[in-house]
Amino acid sequence: MRRPRPSLERERALWAEGGEVVAGVDEAGRGPLAGPVVAAAVVFPAYCKVIRGLRDSKLLTPRVRLRLAGLVRQRALAVGVGAASVREIDRLNIRRATILAMRRALGRLAVRPEHVLVDGLPCPELGWTHDAIVDGDAHCHCIAAASVIAKTVRDRLMQRLAAHHPAYAWASNKGYGTAYHLAALAEHGMTAHHRRSFAPVVQLELAVRGGMWW
């Protein structure tokens, strides 16, 4: 079954109501065992055209994502990026840390949005009036654009961290709990960039404390 292509239907409806500044917001990195969670907010000019090929970032190859990220930055009225650190994830939990990253992304836009469209479920803590759209990155153009920006920014961050911690293969797995990453955790232990509140990392820490790891 073919997935729907993101459209400007939501944005056009809001533009027609007189709201010219519509921001799409999405995140990357909720699920990994290591690294920050990153969010992006993207505002396109009112009545812009669709960027051909733009999709949910998870459906795109790295090369295509980078090309589309460049197009988004060229055509957007404003782009904001925010992140929440591993410490913030462990202190707040991943949901609240993700919302914090989204708030930071919105706060870094060069224009103030009149409407915000967010991927997923409603976020009362966001601090902005918004519409939440389940699978928004598959249906909504500005959310898909935000997903591409967030993903490419986070991938670059993980590649930089990988240069300092090559044993975990973060350049390829981006911190997700692949078999290789879990094996590296077992062999080398955790780093300061691992999320100690996530189950596989917690289990490792408990095993080490209990003297069960060798």
Side-chain angles (χ1 to χ4, degrees), residues 160-192:
R160 291 174 187 171
L161 290 177
H164 299 284
H165 302 278
Y168 302 91
W170 290 338
S172 58
N173 64 44
K174 306 303 185 289
Y176 282 89
T178 62
Y180 188 98
H181 189 181
L182 292 173
L185 261 175
E187 182 176 355
H188 302 287
M190 66 193 76
T191 70

Side-chain angles (χ1 to χ4, degrees), residues 13-21 47 114-115:
L14 292 169
W15 292 332
E17 293 173 3
E20 293 193 357
V21 186
Y47 303 103
E114 297 167 289
H115 298 279

Side-chain angles (χ1 to χ4, degrees), residues 31-202:
L33 306 182
V37 60
V38 174
V42 176
V43 176
F44 286 107
Y47 303 103
C48 67
K49 294 182 179 179
V50 167
I51 295 176
R52 184 173 296 180
L54 189 62
R55 300 283 188 281
D56 170 3
S57 64
K58 297 184 290 295
L59 303 178
L60 303 170
T61 65
R63 179 178 294 182
V64 172
R65 266 199 306 268
L66 283 172
R67 179 179 64 81
L68 289 170
L71 288 175
V72 169
R73 291 183 181 276
Q74 287 174 19
R75 300 190 188 181
L77 187 64
V79 174
V81 176
S85 68
V86 168
R87 286 187 179 182
E88 289 171 324
I89 291 169
D90 288 340
R91 177 169 56 86
L92 298 172
N93 75 40
I94 186 59
R95 180 183 176 278
R96 291 178 179 175
T98 299
I99 294 171
L100 176 61
M102 290 179 171
R103 290 177 61 181
R104 288 170 174 167
L106 285 164
R108 288 171 182 154
L109 288 169
V111 295
R112 183 174 179 82
E114 297 167 289
H115 298 279
V116 176
L117 302 174
V118 178
D119 182 45
L121 300 174
C123 311
E125 307 96 325
L126 186 62
W128 297 74
T129 301
H130 63 279
D131 294 329
I133 305 171
V134 175
D135 291 330
D137 46 9
H139 298 281
C140 182
H141 187 258
C142 63
I143 295 178
S147 79
V148 167
I149 295 294
K151 175 67 173 166
T152 52
V153 169
R154 188 178 187 279
D155 283 358
R156 283 199 301 270
L157 289 172
M158 294 309 297
Q159 287 164 0
R160 291 174 187 171
L161 290 177
H164 299 284
H165 302 278
Y168 302 91
W170 290 338
S172 58
N173 64 44
K174 306 303 185 289
Y176 282 89
T178 62
Y180 188 98
H181 189 181
L182 292 173
L185 261 175
E187 182 176 355
H188 302 287
M190 66 193 76
T191 70
H193 304 290
H194 279 100
R195 301 175 182 179
R196 294 173 181 265
S197 56
F198 276 45
V201 184
V202 171

